[in-house]
Structures are given as structure tokens and as C-alpha cells.
Amino acid sequence: MDWMQVIVLSVVQGLTEFLPISSSAHLILVPVLTPWEDQGLAFDVALHIGSLSAVVLYFRQELLRMTRSWVGSLRGGEVDQDARLGWWVLLATLPVCVFGFAFRDVVSQGMRSPVIIGIGLISFGLLLGYADWRRRRDGRSEYQLGLRDVLLIGFAQALALIPGTSRSGITITAALLLGMSREGAARFSFLLSIPVIALAGGLEIVGLIRESHEVDWAAVTIGAILSGISAYLCIHYFLIFIKRVGMQPFVVYRLLLGGWLLWLFW
């Protein structure tokens, strides 16, 4: 890998992992639209580590409270709002785990074409636009979710297995439709990303252990750092941006990118 490839892929991963524009779509498109060869499994692992480190660092105070309360609830203590949120994050992760293992080969082998990405970007982008337009007033926070809300958001998250959907985009869409505020929907989506990214990275590490290829440790290290920095900044400024502006600029971007892909590859 040359250094331009390292920088571009790291920043793309860091930004698009949490923006509602589909990280998988952009990482699939980079090798389609450039002469670069596949970056390899070790570099993919590094990018996931960077993104995971960023979201954990950003929500470190909330995660510490959630962990303490959640462990306390296991020991028979009171289930307060922090413990409940911890349980909700775990429960909402189950559907994507089940569907991810069941349809992993189908998704990885038969659904990663630019046409499918384009359709996903447009269709789920329109749904995000509607949800954001409908939720123009303030709504509930992540601490005000009920069991039904969590299950629906969890099953919506499983749709992100379709390239072009966007994990953050579909979970934010579902949360907005269920009456959450923009900021509350985004914060819950980011918390949901932690177990999902950890599981995806864990699977890649297992695959990496089975491989015997040499690892470019310089590229891996720089990739993880750049991915983490760009992801952290993305989370911070995205929460500020949507509170003031909303989701519509991302909807427009999705429609333009999806239309361009369909025009090029259909």
C-alpha cells in the first residue's frame, strides 16, 4: 500500500462509519473507482480498531456509568436508567448478530455491486429524509426508550447488512420514526456501534490469525490512528451539526451519489 491509499482509506472509514451515508459503500467503491489493490485484512482490522477506540473514548463517561450500573443490576441492584440503557444496547445488537451470521456469505458475495449500493443509498436515503422531516420538533432521549423501541431499532440495524444502507443511517431513521430527537437518535446509534464494530473486528482478527501474510505494521498503525482521529472528530461535529441543521444534507448527498452510481454502472 502507498501512503495516499493509507490516508484516504483511513479517513473515509473514520468519517463514514458514523455519518448516515454508508461506510461499506464508500470502502467498496474506493477499489472500484481507483487502481488500488485490496488493502488486506490486517488493514481492515486496524481501521475497525481506530473507529472503535474513537467512539469508546468519546462516550467514555456514559460507558463507565452504564457498565457500573449494568454490573450492579446483574448482582441484584437497582436497574436505573444507565443500567437499562446498557441492557438496551445489548438487546438491540442481537438481531444484527443473528442475521449477520446467517446471511454473511450472501451479503459478501452477491450484494456488493455498485448498482445495489446505489439503490440502497437512494431508497434508505429517502426514508431518512422523511423520518427527519417528520421529527422536526424535539423528541425523546436515549434514556427514554422502551422495549418495543429497542427491538424495532435492533431489527432495523440488521438491514445495514445490505450495502448502501448505512448502519448509523438506518438506526437513526428508525429512532426518529419512533419519536426520538435527532441528538438522542444519533447518540443511541453511536452506542450501538460499539458492540457491532467490536464483533466485526473480532471476526476479522480470527481470519487474520488464520492467514500467513506479512503485515505492513507502519501502514496498519497509521491507519488505526487516522481512522480514530477522523472518527472522533466526526462524532463530535455531527452531533452539533444535526442539532442545528438536521439530516437533509446527508439525504441530498446519498441521492446524488446513488444516482451517479446507477448512471455509471446500470
Side-chain angles (χ1 to χ4, degrees):
M1 294 178 64
D2 60 49
W3 287 111
M4 180 58 68
Q5 184 179 3
V6 171
I7 294 170
V8 170
L9 290 177
S10 302
V11 173
V12 167
Q13 165 68 19
L15 293 178
T16 60
E17 181 67 46
F18 300 105
L19 294 179
I21 55 176
S22 180
S23 62
S24 62
H26 285 75
L27 290 176
I28 290 172
L29 289 175
V30 169
V32 171
L33 301 176
T34 67
W36 293 334
E37 297 181 358
D38 183 82
Q39 63 269 20
L41 193 54
F43 192 74
D44 287 340
V45 171
L47 297 186
H48 277 102
I49 291 175
S51 298
L52 180 62
S53 300
V55 68
V56 169
L57 180 62
Y58 191 88
F59 290 100
R60 60 191 180 278
Q61 294 180 353
E62 291 89 338
L63 290 171
L64 183 59
R65 292 198 306 268
M66 287 167 55
T67 302
R68 286 174 176 172
S69 296
W70 182 79
V71 172
S73 71
L74 289 177
R75 296 173 177 173
E78 177 188 359
V79 181
D80 59 14
Q81 66 173 9
D82 290 308
R84 185 180 301 109
L85 184 57
W87 282 110
W88 286 163
V89 169
L90 294 176
L91 182 61
T93 304
L94 292 179
V96 74
C97 292
V98 173
F99 287 103
F101 281 110
F103 299 103
R104 184 182 179 187
D105 293 337
V106 174
V107 173
S108 62
Q109 297 176 12
M111 300 184 66
R112 298 174 74 86
S113 75
V115 171
I116 292 178
I117 293 172
I119 293 173
L121 284 167
I122 293 173
S123 57
F124 290 106
L126 290 172
L127 186 59
L128 174 62
Y130 169 73
D132 184 63
W133 172 82
R134 184 173 176 267
R135 180 47 50 187
R136 286 177 289 183
R137 62 186 183 278
D138 291 336
R140 295 177 292 161
S141 74
E142 65 271 28
Y143 290 101
Q144 297 172 303
L145 290 169
L147 177 60
R148 172 179 170 273
D149 302 321
V150 171
L151 291 175
L152 290 173
I153 294 172
F155 280 104
Q157 184 172 226
L159 293 174
L161 294 168
I162 304 171
T165 302
S166 170
R167 191 210 58 82
S168 63
I170 195 62
T171 50
I172 290 173
T173 298
L176 290 172
L177 290 173
L178 290 168
M180 293 187 70
S181 67
R182 289 167 174 165
E183 188 176 10
R187 290 175 67 87
F188 188 61
S189 174
F190 294 157
L191 290 173
L192 285 181
S193 73
I194 294 173
V196 172
I197 296 174
L199 289 170
L203 289 175
E204 290 180 340
I205 289 174
V206 171
L208 182 62
I209 292 174
R210 294 173 179 173
E211 291 185 355
S212 57
H213 301 296
E214 293 185 1
V215 176
D216 185 347
W217 289 108
V220 164
T221 302
I222 296 300
I225 294 172
L226 290 178
S227 175
I229 293 173
S230 56
Y232 188 93
L233 293 174
C234 174
I235 294 170
H236 178 71
Y237 288 107
F238 177 73
L239 289 172
I240 297 174
F241 182 85
I242 61 171
K243 193 173 183 179
R244 297 176 179 176
V245 180
M247 302 288 178
Q248 300 305 323
F250 301 105
V251 174
V252 173
Y253 175 81
R254 290 180 65 117
L255 296 179
L256 292 175
L257 179 58
W260 179 65
L261 290 176
L262 293 181
W263 179 70
L264 281 180
F265 295 102
W266 200 316

